[in-house]
Amino acid sequence: EEGRMVNDAAVAAQQGGEPTAEQAAMTGAVKILNAYGLTNLAELAQQKTLDTRSTRQIVVVGEVKRGKSTLVNALLELPDASPVDVDVTTSASLHMVPESDAHPRGWADLVFPGETRRVPGSELAEWVTQRGRYVLDPATEALPTRAVVPVRTNPFDGAVIVDTPGTGGLDSTHAQLAQGSAQSACVLVVVGDASAPLTRPEMEFIKS
């Protein structure tokens, strides 16, 4: 019982005053989780509340060809922020961040294992789409697992919007990348086909 109240005092001390409405809501949620025996989830919620390194992220996931990139572009009010084509799917998660001195518009940062490489924004599709020049080139030694794309508009008060690869299909690596992004989400948006029920891979991804 004593441990359950630690979050109240820690958050208040960290902020230098009384808990905010959001912190009070979190405290109430933690109490409910504990009451139902979901102590592990309650502890995770407390940790995330106190983790100042966390970045607010809206992560969009779903099977291939469900319109994830189109939705992301609509949310950002930018038709070309994420590459969209009937025969093109993203092969890396795309993190749409507000433009800044660290992330100037017109450029994209490609994240490789152990390396980040800045390229002109016009080259983004060549690295992260199935028909991209570097994706198809057998001489390409490695492809990025993530790309940071600065955008000029963001109606979500600076939250990062993440467009993920398809969760199913033939490439299990895409599902792993999408799952990794989903685990860091503050809001998880699952995009489905309105004309059909969710598929087995979609349901398994949501459950996991």
Side-chain angles (χ1 to χ4, degrees), residues 16-30:
E18 292 297 319
T20 65
E22 290 81 4
Q23 292 160 359
M26 174 60 74
T27 299
V30 166

Side-chain angles (χ1 to χ4, degrees), residues 28-207:
V30 166
K31 291 179 179 178
I32 293 173
L33 291 169
N34 280 318
Y36 281 90
L38 302 174
T39 55
N40 289 339
L41 189 57
E43 291 175 3
L44 178 62
Q46 290 177 346
Q47 291 171 7
K48 286 188 173 293
T49 300
L50 297 175
D51 188 358
T52 58
R53 299 168 301 173
S54 297
T55 300
R56 294 183 302 130
Q57 293 190 343
I58 301 171
V59 178
V60 181
V61 302
E63 264 283 17
V64 295
K65 305 309 178 191
R66 293 296 190 265
K68 297 186 302 297
S69 297
T70 300
L71 174 61
V72 167
N73 292 345
L75 292 174
L76 291 170
E77 302 174 355
L78 295 171
D80 301 320
S82 184
V84 175
D85 192 286
V86 292
D87 294 323
V88 174
T89 56
T90 51
S91 57
S93 61
L94 306 183
H95 295 236
M96 308 297 178
V97 304
E99 63 178 332
S100 63
D101 291 341
H103 299 289
R105 183 154 51 100
W107 297 87
D109 289 338
L110 305 179
V111 180
F112 299 84
E115 177 190 10
T116 298
R117 191 181 310 168
R118 178 161 291 180
V119 300
S122 58
E123 292 186 11
L124 178 64
E126 303 294 347
W127 284 99
V128 301
T129 65
Q130 299 290 27
R131 295 191 306 180
R133 175 161 53 100
Y134 298 106
V135 176
L136 296 175
D137 187 353
T140 301
E141 295 183 359
L143 292 172
T145 58
R146 180 162 57 98
V148 179
V149 184
V151 293
R152 69 176 184 274
T153 64
N154 189 312
F156 300 98
D157 194 27
V160 176
I161 300 180
V162 182
D163 185 7
T164 65
T167 60
L170 300 178
D171 194 338
S172 61
T173 303
H174 288 186
Q176 294 173 5
L177 291 173
Q179 188 173 40
S181 296
Q183 290 172 348
S184 65
C186 293
V187 175
L188 183 64
V189 181
V190 180
V191 182
D193 184 345
S195 64
L198 293 175
T199 64
R200 183 184 297 274
E202 288 172 320
M203 289 303 301
E204 290 178 350
F205 180 86
I206 294 171
K207 289 178 181 178

